[in-house]
Amino acid sequence: MKYCRFQFNGQAQYGLVESVAGRDAIVRVLLTAPEEADGDMESLRTRRIEAIPLEEAALLPPVRPSKIVCIGRNYREHATELGHDIPTEPLLFLKATSALLPPGGVVRRPKISQRVDYEGELGVVIGKTCYQPAADADIRQYILGYTCVNDVTARDLQNKDGQWSRSKGFDTFCPVGPVVTDEIDPCFGAGAGVGVQTRVNGQVKQDGNTRDFLFKLDVVIRHIAQAMTLFPGDLIPSGTPAGVGPVVAGDVVEVSVEGVGTLRNSVVDE
Ligand code: MG
């Protein structure tokens, strides 16, 4: 199942995305929000509409999280490129929900930062309330699906502040989308993985694969849910591969996750 959220007849709606004549298109609206199904996707009611090509839809962020819980340094080569040690347990931080930005939205570089970086990531969307799951629980039951995230970061302020709320939390610093899908396996099966690629103005800057996670999603979600309840719709950007770097006004950043699609956003100066 693949869905997006979009403006339709003046309302924010979820749309079921299917391939129509080789192109992704919205073919139904979901009358129940996916995060309200509490893991029971079969219960979603839908209404068929005239197919809308995905690239022509007025897309919104496909998630409405109560919180965005990010993983820092979850790829070895990214940890070392910034001169940090390899973490011994998942490193968590929160990103403000007010930073959410839809596909096609514009990232604003704040005046008070001299260096704003892209971080292309696989985003995990929670589908079922999760708090301190049993040791033998299959964590996949709590995952609704996966999307693309750009964990935009004011790198100079991150270093200056010592903690990351401000540098990661500016408005527009969390582009997400275009769709959420449950049709990929980033790390659960033997040898599973999906490519995570970031391009700036068409030039490849990051080219990683989730099979190289330092902490797989089972470990990550258990670690988070040991501390805080994860609610349906919550978003977990799972860390960025090596190759982070700055953007300037006029740049176009694309984050592609294999099997999800491409999240495209331009950059302006505030
Ligand atoms: Mg990140």
Side-chain angles (χ1 to χ4, degrees):
M1 175 185 168
K2 194 183 272 190
Y3 72 82
C4 66
R5 200 163 141 257
F6 71 122
Q7 282 287 350
F8 183 64
N9 293 339
Q11 278 190 322
Q13 294 267 15
Y14 287 94
L16 194 64
V17 176
E18 289 180 2
S19 181
V20 177
R23 297 164 81 196
D24 275 350
I26 303 168
V27 294
R28 289 174 178 271
V29 291
L30 303 181
L31 302 175
T32 319
E35 69 264 24
E36 287 165 16
D38 206 33
D40 180 13
M41 292 298 118
E42 301 300 315
S43 71
L44 293 179
R45 292 180 306 119
T46 68
R47 188 180 73 235
R48 184 166 285 281
I49 57 171
E50 199 169 325
I52 302 169
L54 192 62
E55 66 265 27
E56 291 173 20
L59 292 177
L60 299 167
V63 288
R64 290 186 297 173
S66 77
K67 55 191 167 300
I68 303 168
V69 191
C70 305
I71 312 302
R73 301 170 194 157
N74 200 21
Y75 292 82
R76 183 178 305 272
E77 288 176 7
H78 170 60
T80 55
E81 79 176 339
L82 295 180
H84 299 291
D85 293 335
I86 306 297
T88 55
E89 61 179 13
L91 173 62
L92 306 186
F93 63 93
L94 293 169
K95 207 167 167 82
T97 53
S98 44
L100 287 167
L101 186 72
V106 179
V107 174
R108 296 197 310 273
R109 278 170 31 110
K111 284 191 184 73
I112 55 173
S113 172
Q114 307 310 311
R115 176 164 166 160
V116 172
D117 281 12
Y118 56 81
E119 291 189 2
E121 308 194 6
L122 170 86
V124 183
V125 182
I126 294 296
K128 186 175 166 183
T129 302
C130 179
Y131 181 65
Q132 298 188 347
D136 61 350
D138 184 345
I139 287 298
R140 285 175 289 191
Q141 70 185 288
Y142 299 107
I143 297 174
L144 181 62
Y146 305 94
T147 188
C148 312
V149 177
N150 186 350
D151 174 21
V152 182
T153 304
R155 193 71 68 201
D156 51 347
L157 302 182
Q158 183 185 28
N159 295 332
K160 179 183 173 198
D161 290 355
Q163 54 79 34
W164 306 355
S165 303
R166 184 168 68 142
S167 62
K168 299 275 192 178
F170 285 94
D171 283 10
T172 74
F173 270 26
C174 193
V176 58
V179 302
V180 175
T181 181
D182 62 3
E183 295 165 4
I184 60 171
D185 179 0
C187 63
F188 288 98
V194 290
V196 178
Q197 188 181 81
T198 307
R199 298 176 298 281
V200 178
N201 305 327
Q203 194 180 0
V204 175
K205 299 289 189 180
Q206 296 183 285
D207 200 7
N209 193 293
T210 58
R211 77 169 77 91
D212 296 324
F213 279 153
L214 285 170
F215 303 102
K216 297 201 182 295
L217 297 177
D218 179 83
V219 174
V220 161
I221 290 173
R222 285 179 191 284
H223 189 74
I224 299 168
Q226 197 57 38
M228 62 189 91
T229 303
L230 286 167
F231 293 111
D234 281 356
L235 178 65
I236 306 172
S238 57
T240 201
V244 298
V247 289
V248 296
D251 283 348
V252 174
V253 185
E254 293 172 304
V255 177
S256 296
V257 173
E258 189 182 352
V260 176
T262 296
L263 168 67
R264 187 176 295 106
N265 298 92
S266 55
V267 180
V268 298
D269 283 334
E270 184 179 74

